[in-house]
Each structure stands twice: as structure tokens, then as C-alpha cells.
């Protein structure tokens, strides 16, 4: 009888541990998908880019020309800049603050 009790206890412990591991993996996956949501950018005319953004972009990327411009609904601008055969994508806040350089 003692062996059956220990067997049930071990089985219960293994099942509970497996359920906790499954929950932990699910939560991690859900947290990752919540935090890693790429912003959606909409193509805009180059003339719609704020002057502060253009000023910072021209200072940081001297010699590059504005090829295409995109805007997010959150006040960020992604600029595709071109210099000869080299392309750079840079993201700025609407006040001109540089956020990051994006690779394709």
C-alpha cells in the first residue's frame, strides 16, 4: 500500500511539473508576441516629413538623398535614404530624435 501511495505522489508531482512547464512556455510565447510587434508604416510624400526630421537626417547622413518616406501612427518616420548604390533606412521621432537604423 505504501508503494502505491508513493507512486501516486510521484505521478502527481510529474504531472504538475509538466503543466507548469507548459504554462511557462505559453506565457513566454505570449509575452514575446506582445512585446515584439513591428510598427506599421504607411508611405507618405517626401514633403510630409517634418523639417526637424529632415534636418537631423541630413546631418547624420551627409550626402544621402531622401528616396522614400514612411510614417507610423505613433509619430515616427522611417526614411529610405540613398547615396549612389547604398541604401539606408533610418527611423526618427517627429521631433527629429534619431531612434535606430533599420536593415532590410
Amino acid at each position: 500500500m505504501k508503494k502505491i501511495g508513493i507512486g501516486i505522489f510521484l505521478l502527481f508531482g510529474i504531472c504538475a511539473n509538466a503543466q507548469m512547464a507548459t504554462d511557462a512556455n505559453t506565457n513566454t510565447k505570449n509575452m514575446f508576441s506582445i512585446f515584439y510587434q513591428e510598427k506599421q508604416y504607411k508611405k507618405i510624400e517626401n514633403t510630409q516629413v517634418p523639417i526637424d526630421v529632415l534636418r537631423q537626417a541630413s546631418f547624420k547622413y551627409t550626402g544621402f538623398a531622401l528616396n522614400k518616406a514612411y510614417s507610423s501612427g505613433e509619430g515616427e518616420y522611417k526614411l529610405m535614404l540613398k547615396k549612389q548604390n547604398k541604401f539606408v533606412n533610418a527611423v526618427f521621432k517627429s521631433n527629429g530624435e534619431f531612434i535606430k537604423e533599420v536593415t532590410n
Side-chain angles (χ1 to χ4, degrees):
M1 187 70 169
K2 190 175 182 182
K3 289 182 182 180
I4 294 174
I6 292 174
I8 291 173
F9 180 73
L10 287 175
L11 183 61
F12 177 74
I14 291 170
C15 291
N17 192 21
Q19 181 61 41
M20 287 174 32
T22 302
D23 290 344
N25 289 339
T26 303
N27 289 340
T28 302
K29 195 183 310 180
N30 289 341
M31 274 185 4
F32 181 72
S33 65
I34 290 170
F35 290 115
Y36 184 76
Q37 290 185 352
E38 184 74 25
K39 291 187 178 165
Q40 298 297 317
Y41 290 91
K42 179 181 151 188
K43 187 167 178 7
I44 60 171
E45 296 294 323
N46 292 352
T47 57
Q48 294 178 294
V49 179
I51 191 71
D52 292 334
V53 174
L54 294 174
R55 193 175 291 132
Q56 273 303 111
S58 66
F59 177 73
K60 185 166 179 62
Y61 298 99
T62 305
F64 281 79
L66 179 58
N67 192 27
K68 295 180 184 176
Y70 301 88
S71 173
S72 76
E74 298 159 2
E76 291 183 3
Y77 293 86
K78 181 163 59 169
L79 307 179
M80 180 185 276
L81 306 165
K82 181 181 179 183
K83 182 178 184 180
Q84 296 172 355
N85 291 330
K86 183 178 179 185
F87 288 92
V88 173
N89 293 324
V91 180
F92 294 88
K93 289 185 180 178
S94 59
N95 64 0
E97 181 182 338
F98 175 77
I99 298 174
K100 64 183 176 180
E101 199 170 287
V102 182
T103 57
N104 289 341

